[in-house]
Amino acid sequence: CSVSKNNTNDMPMETSPRELTQNPLRKIWMPYKNGLPEKHISQRKVCMTNCPTLIVMVGLPARGKTYISKKLTRYLNWIGVPTKEFNVGQYRRECLKIYKNFEFFRPDNEEGLKIRRQCALSALNDVRQYLCMEGGQVAVFDATNTTRERRDTITRFAEQNGFKVFFVESVCEDPDVIAENIVQVKLGSPDYIDCNTEEAVADFMKRIKCYENSYQPLDEGLDRELSYIKIMDVGRRYLVNRVLDHIQSRIVYYLMNIHITPRSIYLCRHGESDLNVRGRIGGDSGLTSRGKEYAKSLGHFIQEQNIKDLKVWTSQMKRTIQTAEALAVPYEQWKALNEIDAGVCEEMMYEEIQEHFPLEFALRDQDKYRYRYPKGESYEDLVQRLEPVIMELERQENVLVICHQAVMRCLLAYFLDKSAEELPYLKCPLHTVLKLTPVAYGCKVESIFLNVEAVNTHRDKPENVDISRPTEEALLTVPAHQ
Amino acid sequence: SMSSEQNELTQTPLLKIWVPWVHSTLSRRRGSSVPQFTNSPTVIVMVGLPARGKTYISKKLARYLNWIGVNTAVFNLGQYRREAVQTYKNYEFFRPDNEEAMKIRRNCASNALTDIGAYFTKEQGQVAVFDATNTTRERRGLILSFAKEKGYKVFFVESVCDDPDIIEQNIMQVKLSSPDYENCDKEEALEDFLKRIECYKMTYVPLDEEKDRHLSYIKIFNVGSRYLVNRVQDHIQSRIVYYLMNIHVTPRSIYLSRHGESDLNLLGRIGGDSGLSTRGQMYASALAAFVQSQSIRDLKVWTSHMKRTIQTAEALGVPYEQWKALNEIDAGMCEEMTYEEIQDHHPEEFALRDQDKYRYRYPKGESYEDMVHRLEPVIMELERQENVLVICHQAVMRCLLAYFLDKSADELPYLRCPLHTVLKLTPVAYGCKVESIFLNVQAVNTHREKPPNVDINRKTEDALQTVPEHV
């Protein structure tokens, strides 16, 4: 037999390299043909997987599955991986309308079992729709999935559709944790709308019992071919098996860093800066006298709040550090918290940007999240840069982050689950502290204005975003400045 | 105390870090300029039978931690033993009933712990990796008491493996060439080593889920198909776990190359976003031919977001991924300048850079130190991947190369990464084999050596002495 020297027939040979053009919005270099950009340029999107992933929650009721599902979904969406959760309990409530009591969940309740099975299948159907037709990349299937039989059904479903499966099991026997769980999220459930606390708790405990007898936890031996993480005792211990790809590795890392210890995160901007007052963006200026006053007020505020072991983080820009200095406590400087780099537009006023770069100015209004300043950054870039900050915020307890407008918008969007469209327009005014406290499945926000006046730096999206718009329309929403 | 001091801030000229400036001396800074990984030194304690990859993991972990800026050193007990015993006879030294040997081994462990203490207190060490079998509860208890007394954190890394193929592969790769077996033939060595393992097996008590539930550890099963992680205490332990869970031992190669020669390269200008010169385009074609000739299985190709790397990748005719994190170092105010112009407009900056090229940050730009942080996710993903070709830039390539070849922060900014040359890195034993392949297309030299005179008052000729030629 003869061996061909090289596969000249198979390999793409010496075609002249395609011409490149820089996409005007995102400033991404892409090849073009006949004046049009070619499709599918591979961008470094964090999801490094070549097929959709189905995350399957496993565990008895009140083990934090929904908490984990929602948090994970929020994180993945924030880093740019389209993710959606499918809570089978919701399907059941839609099907059943009225929840009577725990008897519905008795393992010998044929009628109940039928309905529950139908709900699970209906949810899986929606999962398929989301992953195959709606551009979803990850679906989180939030249900008890406590029997091997149910998990096998799901695994077969995933195989048929070309999805990867990753199980997340939460195991917890601590009665205090379970009780706290029930109080925090179950009592407020639609199921118990007309019950008093005691009735609800009693019923829910019986509900758990219904699942306990048939519960088959993921087994080191029997399930050794599956990909999963077993979370034990709210994160004290983890068993991780067969992580297949990048996204699963990131999910594991995230799950191993989150905790449920009560704490608060304080977000605020630096005090008013010299460039703020002059309506100029970016730069590295110092605080105005009002900014310094704010820093002092912030110091007082922090003291009054009596926060246990508060960590203070700033960026590496002068104005946040000046602000932190007034607190007279140790702080850490993070370069990753620096304000968005406006590239060639650094230190310009919006009026000047309109004058010198009207096209850029319009493109930014068309898609503020993805728009990258020439030789600068986009909000999308910021999110990638801030991911390690978010990861460390998850690990920490009480933290005060003194940062910048665009940065604060990105962080806030993560905590409040805001979309990429909303993110760049979130209101983060100067001299206002946002206190975020995790509660139930979300985050309570308290906004505290520290009573020192400051210029407004928030520019709303104008009505006319066309590249040929007149100057007045471009500058319609620019806030007043010196 | 709520002092009313609103200290003026000054920006340190090298790092461009804002610090309070009191009476023209730098006061003790409240602000640390790097996020704190941990507040006390950490001892990582390896656990496992011989030939379970403990030394491989120790060295790799230390290399990673040092690269990201955490001062780490490995303390290999085998080396202490070799120093104490000079000549290794055979496995009988390791028999659990060999009293004489036991005494020596205990002494060695004690010495190693003392050295660890010295590393922390006198050499600003942050992490020490104690590379030994540590297979008995007694030995681990000794280490825990030592650490508790000194206020060090302890994190165990246990490697468990019962696959005889993996173990034999291990022994072949790293044990047969050990000083212990210098004068043995392969078969003798293998036989002796297997008996050595048996000696340890008799007293091996693995970390126990119940009894050791208060300890912080990761148990790695069968080279990473499964992990058990218990009580991660802080950020550095979390990073260590993440790293260990991403590395693998599947054979593969990493190809590092710069973009083809660019128009700005020819003009001796740094940074910018120019396209390829004619010769640069020739290199791109040559690179394509080279990649084909290597017949690489499932090769991934990564570029930066800059035109010149993408143009280079385009010539390969295969899919590629663009990473913003692979962009060249941001020279801030010096972007697109020649060195002559930098000397002309910013002579002090130019001198500071020569004084400490690793930490020096361009005004409104970056430092090599900044780049290492930005490249860390790239390294993490490179660890996960198999065959990858990274088409990047001079400073970026220096950072990546320093990681693979364990180069210090001082060496890093002067590593040679010439244009039109591919570096093929293949992991072997405890390190990395490097093959340098020049693809036979001429290019300008862009490597500027550190000049002898780095004083800020130096003459222009002295400053420009080592600038490579350009148009």
Side-chain angles (χ1 to χ4, degrees):
Chain A
C1 69
S2 70
V3 178
S4 60
K5 261 201 287 194
N6 55 32
N7 300 341
T8 29
N9 298 325
D10 304 319
M11 294 299 191
M13 277 316 284
E14 306 263 341
T15 53
S16 57
R18 300 182 280 189
E19 279 299 305
L20 293 185
T21 182
Q22 196 179 40
N23 159 286
L25 182 83
R26 299 167 86 180
K27 312 296 189 294
I28 303 286
W29 287 102
M30 44 207 332
Y32 72 94
K33 221 179 189 179
N34 305 326
L36 288 173
E38 296 247 71
K39 279 203 293 178
H40 79 86
I41 222 11
S42 191
Q43 273 303 293
R44 178 63 201 172
K45 285 287 180 172
V46 281
C47 159
M48 272 306 110
T49 182
N50 36 22
C51 51
T53 303
L54 178 59
I55 297 177
V56 182
M57 303 304 301
V58 181
L60 293 173
R63 263 59 177 180
K65 296 185 302 298
T66 302
Y67 176 81
I68 292 170
S69 300
K70 287 182 182 275
K71 214 169 152 72
L72 190 53
T73 300
R74 177 161 58 89
Y75 168 70
L76 291 173
N77 278 313
W78 187 75
I79 62 172
V81 181
T83 306
K84 192 166 170 195
E85 29 135 7
F86 297 82
N87 176 281
V88 174
Q90 258 164 254
Y91 284 76
R92 187 258 307 156
R93 275 183 283 273
E94 238 146 276
C95 189
L96 205 52
K97 298 302 184 201
I98 309 182
Y99 171 77
K100 269 231 205 96
N101 59 32
F102 78 95
E103 307 242 355
F104 177 80
F105 291 98
R106 288 178 55 155
D108 56 358
N109 182 345
E110 287 291 343
E111 181 74 28
L113 283 172
K114 209 165 111 187
I115 293 175
R116 288 155 72 193
R117 196 178 165 72
Q118 264 167 19
C119 288
L121 291 176
S122 178
L124 285 179
N125 233 353
D126 288 352
V127 164
R128 181 198 352 244
Q129 171 87 358
Y130 177 66
L131 294 180
C132 295
M133 306 197 232
E134 293 175 26
Q137 270 170 344
V138 177
V140 184
F141 190 56
D142 178 18
T144 50
N145 299 316
T146 38
T147 61
R148 187 155 281 117
E149 187 222 344
R150 172 55 58 84
R151 296 194 293 267
D152 284 345
T153 304
I154 298 168
T155 306
R156 273 195 306 275
F157 160 83
E159 260 164 46
Q160 280 163 15
N161 289 287
F163 306 150
K164 285 185 180 166
V165 181
F166 189 74
F167 293 94
V168 177
E169 181 173 26
S170 175
V171 176
C172 179
E173 292 315 317
D174 185 334
D176 293 327
V177 173
I178 296 166
E180 178 63 35
N181 240 351
I182 297 176
V183 167
Q184 273 236 349
V185 295
K186 298 299 178 187
L187 302 187
S189 149
D191 291 345
Y192 295 112
I193 253 181
D194 300 313
C195 300
N196 70 34
T197 304
E198 261 156 41
E199 289 172 344
V201 172
D203 184 83
F204 200 84
M205 297 302 263
K206 292 197 192 119
R207 208 155 115 174
I208 298 178
K209 273 263 169 290
C210 294
Y211 285 90
E212 267 174 16
N213 286 333
S214 57
Y215 181 22
Q216 294 166 299
L218 289 170
D219 181 78
E220 262 172 63
L222 294 170
D223 297 310
R224 66 182 168 282
E225 296 299 319
L226 300 181
S227 296
Y228 66 83
I229 178 172
K230 210 193 246 273
I231 305 171
M232 295 169 270
D233 291 321
V234 204
R236 194 144 293 163
R237 195 159 83 244
Y238 305 90
L239 186 62
V240 179
N241 200 61
R242 291 195 186 273
V243 169
L244 293 180
D245 59 18
H246 178 92
I247 195 69
Q248 289 181 17
S249 163
R250 293 287 286 275
I251 288 166
V252 165
Y253 185 44
Y254 181 72
L255 292 177
M256 286 176 40
N257 281 320
I258 60 181
H259 68 78
I260 55 168
T261 310
R263 49 84 170 251
S264 288
I265 294 169
Y266 299 79
L267 300 181
C268 80
R269 290 166 68 186
H270 51 83
E272 184 190 67
S273 75
D274 289 322
L275 286 179
N276 285 147
V277 160
R278 292 156 59 202
R280 295 182 173 280
I281 64 173
D284 196 10
S285 57
L287 302 180
T288 61
S289 44
R290 294 196 302 195
K292 289 179 185 162
E293 231 190 286
Y294 167 72
K296 270 199 250 172
S297 299
L298 184 63
H300 289 131
F301 171 75
I302 293 300
Q303 275 204 351
E304 276 158 36
Q305 288 273 307
N306 228 347
I307 308 157
K308 185 172 92 87
D309 292 333
L310 180 71
K311 294 261 170 80
V312 178
W313 297 353
T314 70
S315 70
Q316 287 190 350
M317 295 180 140
K318 187 176 186 181
R319 51 201 188 277
T320 57
I321 295 163
Q322 260 183 304
T323 309
E325 276 288 316
L327 306 181
V329 296
Y331 56 90
E332 287 173 34
Q333 298 187 15
W334 290 69
K335 187 168 192 282
L337 285 170
N338 279 5
E339 182 57 316
I340 191 171
D341 183 358
V344 303
C345 299
E346 275 284 317
E347 300 196 39
M348 285 188 165
M349 298 184 297
Y350 290 120
E351 292 85 344
E352 286 168 353
I353 301 176
Q354 168 62 17
E355 193 187 323
H356 299 284
F357 308 106
L359 172 65
E360 295 292 330
F361 201 39
L363 284 172
R364 184 158 209 254
D365 283 337
Q366 288 177 16
D367 190 344
K368 198 176 176 191
Y369 183 73
R370 282 164 206 85
Y371 171 81
R372 188 184 278 170
Y373 280 105
K375 305 195 177 178
E377 294 178 301
S378 62
Y379 272 94
E380 192 172 27
D381 294 328
L382 256 197
V383 162
Q384 262 209 11
R385 149 151 91 77
L386 287 167
E387 200 264 349
V389 176
I390 286 295
M391 196 63 88
E392 189 56 18
L393 275 173
E394 284 295 346
R395 290 198 52 80
Q396 292 290 341
E397 294 184 18
N398 292 315
V399 186
L400 163 65
V401 183
I402 304 173
C403 55
H404 305 266
Q405 182 166 250
V407 169
M408 189 161 156
R409 285 171 172 154
C410 292
L411 299 177
L412 196 58
Y414 167 75
F415 288 109
L416 302 186
D417 203 18
K418 298 295 182 187
S419 69
E421 277 58 49
E422 300 169 283
L423 186 160
Y425 296 102
L426 292 175
K427 283 203 184 292
C428 296
L430 287 164
H431 298 189
T432 307
V433 179
L434 290 186
K435 177 178 177 181
L436 305 166
T437 312
V439 75
Y441 293 137
C443 225
K444 179 173 88 168
V445 196
E446 292 167 67
S447 171
I448 307 115
F449 174 60
L450 291 194
N451 238 330
V452 179
E453 288 308 309
V455 69
N456 171 30
T457 58
H458 185 95
R459 179 176 165 269
D460 270 315
K461 179 171 175 169
E463 290 206 8
N464 190 349
V465 300
D466 200 76
I467 53 175
S468 50
R469 64 190 173 177
T471 296
E472 317 85 76
E473 286 178 40
L475 299 175
L476 200 61
T477 54
V478 172
H481 59 85
Q482 274 175 16
Chain B
S1 74
M2 280 300 304
S3 74
S4 58
E5 61 187 49
Q6 293 266 312
N7 279 330
E8 276 306 301
L9 293 185
T10 183
Q11 198 177 43
T12 64
L14 185 83
L15 298 177
K16 310 293 189 298
I17 300 287
W18 287 102
V19 295
W21 190 66
V22 177
H23 301 151
S24 79
T25 56
L26 291 178
S27 66
R28 192 178 70 81
R29 257 199 299 140
R30 270 192 286 268
S32 77
S33 63
V34 275
Q36 298 301 303
F37 288 104
T38 182
N39 39 22
S40 46
T42 303
V43 183
I44 297 176
V45 182
M46 302 304 300
V47 181
L49 293 172
R52 263 59 178 180
K54 295 185 302 297
T55 301
Y56 175 82
I57 291 170
S58 301
K59 287 178 183 268
K60 213 169 152 72
L61 191 52
R63 177 161 58 89
Y64 168 70
L65 290 173
N66 277 312
W67 186 75
I68 61 172
V70 179
N71 293 341
T72 307
V74 177
F75 296 81
N76 174 280
L77 201 52
Q79 261 163 252
Y80 282 79
R81 188 259 306 158
R82 275 185 281 273
E83 239 147 275
V85 184
Q86 295 304 326
T87 322
Y88 172 75
K89 271 235 201 88
N90 60 33
Y91 78 95
E92 306 240 354
F93 181 84
F94 292 99
R95 286 177 56 155
D97 56 358
N98 184 340
E99 286 289 346
E100 176 84 28
M102 276 301 186
K103 214 163 108 188
I104 295 174
R105 291 159 75 191
R106 253 196 297 274
N107 270 339
C108 287
S110 190
N111 289 339
L113 288 179
T114 305
D115 286 352
I116 287 176
Y119 177 63
F120 287 149
T121 47
K122 302 194 190 119
E123 294 177 54
Q124 290 136 353
Q126 285 164 291
V127 175
V129 184
F130 189 41
D131 178 17
T133 50
N134 298 316
T135 38
T136 61
R137 183 157 276 118
E138 183 220 348
R139 172 58 57 84
R140 298 196 290 266
L142 182 76
I143 301 168
L144 284 164
S145 314
F146 164 80
K148 184 163 176 195
E149 190 194 311
K150 306 271 191 181
Y152 306 150
K153 287 185 179 169
V154 178
F155 187 75
F156 293 94
V157 177
E158 180 171 27
S159 175
V160 176
C161 180
D162 45 26
D163 182 334
D165 292 326
I166 297 179
I167 294 164
E168 187 169 314
Q169 173 74 228
N170 243 352
I171 298 176
M172 302 300 283
Q173 272 232 348
V174 294
K175 298 298 178 186
L176 302 188
S177 51
S178 147
D180 290 345
Y181 296 111
E182 239 165 15
N183 302 317
C184 299
D185 74 40
K186 281 203 183 143
E187 262 161 38
E188 286 175 348
L190 182 58
E191 203 187 304
D192 183 83
F193 199 85
L194 289 171
K195 290 202 188 113
R196 209 154 115 174
I197 298 178
E198 288 306 312
C199 292
Y200 282 93
K201 269 193 189 168
M202 296 184 238
T203 52
Y204 180 22
V205 180
L207 288 171
D208 183 79
E209 266 185 50
E210 245 315 291
K211 299 209 189 97
D212 295 314
R213 67 183 176 283
H214 295 296
L215 301 182
S216 295
Y217 65 83
I218 179 171
K219 230 191 224 273
I220 306 171
F221 295 91
N222 286 327
V223 206
S225 65
R226 193 161 86 246
Y227 305 91
L228 184 62
V229 179
N230 199 61
R231 286 190 187 268
V232 169
Q233 292 171 45
D234 58 18
H235 177 93
I236 193 66
Q237 290 180 18
S238 164
R239 292 285 284 276
I240 288 166
V241 165
Y242 185 43
Y243 182 73
L244 292 177
M245 285 177 37
N246 280 320
I247 62 181
H248 66 78
V249 292
T250 310
R252 51 82 172 254
S253 288
I254 293 169
Y255 299 78
L256 299 182
S257 151
R258 290 168 66 187
H259 51 82
E261 182 189 69
S262 75
D263 290 323
L264 285 179
N265 285 147
L266 279 174
L267 298 173
R269 294 184 175 281
I270 66 172
D273 195 13
S274 58
L276 300 181
S277 66
T278 315
R279 297 196 299 195
Q281 283 169 18
M282 279 168 63
Y283 171 71
S285 306
L287 184 62
F290 170 75
V291 168
Q292 277 192 14
S293 72
Q294 288 271 308
S295 276
I296 309 158
R297 192 176 81 93
D298 292 334
L299 179 71
K300 295 258 167 81
V301 178
W302 296 355
T303 70
S304 69
H305 275 199
M306 296 178 139
K307 187 175 187 181
R308 51 201 188 276
T309 58
I310 296 164
Q311 266 183 303
T312 309
E314 276 288 312
L316 305 181
V318 298
Y320 56 89
E321 286 172 37
Q322 297 186 15
W323 289 68
K324 188 169 192 283
L326 286 171
N327 279 5
E328 182 57 315
I329 190 170
D330 183 358
M333 282 167 46
C334 299
E335 276 284 315
E336 300 197 40
M337 286 185 165
T338 59
Y339 290 120
E340 291 85 347
E341 285 166 0
I342 300 176
Q343 169 62 19
D344 197 21
H345 298 286
H346 310 284
E348 194 181 301
E349 293 291 330
F350 201 40
L352 282 172
R353 184 159 209 252
D354 284 336
Q355 288 176 17
D356 190 343
K357 197 176 176 191
Y358 183 73
R359 281 164 208 86
Y360 170 82
R361 188 184 277 172
Y362 280 106
K364 303 194 180 180
E366 294 179 296
S367 62
Y368 272 93
E369 190 172 29
D370 293 329
M371 275 216 296
V372 160
H373 283 122
R374 114 154 121 82
L375 286 167
E376 199 264 352
V378 177
I379 287 294
M380 196 63 87
E381 189 57 17
L382 276 174
E383 285 295 346
R384 290 196 53 80
Q385 292 290 340
E386 293 185 16
N387 293 316
V388 187
L389 163 64
V390 184
I391 304 172
C392 54
H393 305 266
Q394 183 166 248
V396 172
M397 189 161 158
R398 284 170 172 156
C399 292
L400 299 178
L401 196 59
Y403 166 75
F404 288 109
L405 303 186
D406 203 17
K407 298 294 183 186
S408 68
D410 293 320
E411 300 170 282
L412 186 160
Y414 296 101
L415 293 175
R416 281 189 181 283
C417 297
L419 286 164
H420 299 187
T421 307
V422 180
L423 290 185
K424 178 178 177 180
L425 304 166
T426 311
V428 74
Y430 293 137
C432 225
K433 179 174 89 169
V434 195
E435 292 167 66
S436 170
I437 307 116
F438 174 59
L439 291 194
N440 239 330
V441 179
Q442 289 307 316
V444 69
N445 171 32
T446 58
H447 185 94
R448 178 176 167 270
E449 288 289 357
K450 179 173 176 167
N453 189 348
V454 300
D455 195 81
I456 52 173
N457 297 316
R458 63 191 176 175
K459 297 190 290 263
T460 295
E461 314 88 80
D462 285 346
L464 299 176
Q465 195 176 333
T466 56
V467 173
E469 277 180 25
H470 58 87
V471 163

